[in-house]
Amino acid sequence: MDVKPTVEEYTVAMPWYEPEDFPVLWELAQDRSEMPPRYEDWRRSAETVMNAWLARGRALQIVTIRPGPFVAWLEARHLPNTAEIRRRYVEDLATRDHDAA
């Protein structure tokens, strides 16, 4: 019996920053030396990653990171602000949104 994959198996949660939030989020990042300091450069890189996932047939769930809720989430869990933790944050939000639906 063939079992079709579920949405969770082919969906990738992608972090997204709004232009007005990017400078604050960049300053808060503990790994900002690995991030472009300009929003335009970050966006171009993010779009390249998005296109690569889409070319592989993956669905994307774009999750906007807002400074206030993100910092509160970090503080509640005593976590650093790194790329890995930002990935976990957007996955947490994506899962929570999916469970609520």
Side-chain angles (χ1 to χ4, degrees), residues 9-88:
E9 291 173 351
Y10 67 88
T11 300
V12 175
M14 286 276 308
W16 191 258
Y17 307 114
E18 293 299 329
E20 64 273 13
D21 293 334
F22 185 81
V24 172
L25 289 164
W26 187 83
E27 279 294 326
L28 293 171
Q30 292 172 332
D31 59 350
R32 69 178 161 266
S33 64
E34 299 171 26
M35 292 175 65
R38 291 178 358 109
Y39 177 80
E40 296 78 14
D41 297 332
W42 170 84
R43 182 180 176 129
R44 203 170 11 262
S45 176
E47 288 171 348
T48 299
V49 171
M50 290 167 57
N51 288 331
W53 280 114
L54 292 170
R56 292 183 204 148
R58 302 297 292 263
L60 297 177
Q61 181 171 354
I62 307 302
V63 179
T64 301
I65 297 178
R66 298 288 186 178
F70 178 54
V71 169
W73 185 89
L74 289 173
E75 289 174 353
R77 290 159 180 79
H78 307 287
L79 294 171
N81 182 354
T82 63
E84 172 62 21
I85 299 303
R86 290 188 295 276
R87 184 191 59 77
R88 282 179 41 196

Side-chain angles (χ1 to χ4, degrees), residues 84-99:
E84 172 62 21
I85 299 303
R86 290 188 295 276
R87 184 191 59 77
R88 282 179 41 196
Y89 176 71
V90 298
E91 287 177 356
D92 183 53
L93 288 181
T95 302
R96 193 175 332 143
D97 289 348
H98 177 18
D99 291 344

